[in-house]
Amino acid sequence: MFDKLKQLNQLRQIQKTLEAEVITHEKNNIIVTIDGKMTIKDLTLDSNKPAHEQAGLVKDCINEAMEKMQRLMAQKMAGMM
């Protein structure tokens, strides 16, 4: 029983560590910052681009940032296990 509690505490600590990660990704002057909870913390748009152009770029930038965070989390998890 104590082993299970110890494992649960370890998993919670790993979760806290991963949630604290923050990455910033830039694509075509659009910058997105996300955290380990996959929450967008900051988004900077390029005011020189028309709105119809920015929509696709924002989507691509966010998707790439999410993929980047997922790879980072997978690497960290592999290192912790």
Side-chain angles (χ1 to χ4, degrees):
M1 182 170 129
F2 289 113
D3 288 338
K4 296 230 185 240
L5 288 174
K6 185 176 178 184
Q7 288 175 341
L8 182 61
N9 286 335
Q10 287 173 336
L11 288 174
R12 285 184 180 151
Q13 185 60 38
I14 290 170
Q15 182 181 14
K16 284 181 185 178
T17 300
L18 293 175
E19 288 175 353
E21 289 294 326
V22 175
I23 62 157
T24 299
H25 183 72
E26 179 181 358
K27 181 175 186 164
N28 296 325
N29 295 325
I30 294 177
I31 304 167
V32 64
T33 301
I34 62 172
D35 64 14
K37 291 181 182 181
M38 299 297 197
T39 303
I40 297 172
K41 292 298 186 184
D42 191 39
L43 178 63
T44 305
L45 302 177
D46 184 352
S47 60
N48 295 325
K49 289 188 178 19
H52 70 277
E53 240 181 79
Q54 285 195 45
L57 293 172
V58 168
K59 181 185 74 163
D60 291 343
C61 190
I62 290 172
N63 287 335
E64 290 172 10
M66 296 287 186
E67 289 175 21
K68 191 174 177 182
M69 179 58 82
Q70 289 171 345
R71 283 193 303 271
L72 176 67
M73 291 174 88
Q75 289 173 347
K76 293 227 176 232
M77 286 289 291
M80 291 178 182
M81 296 293 176

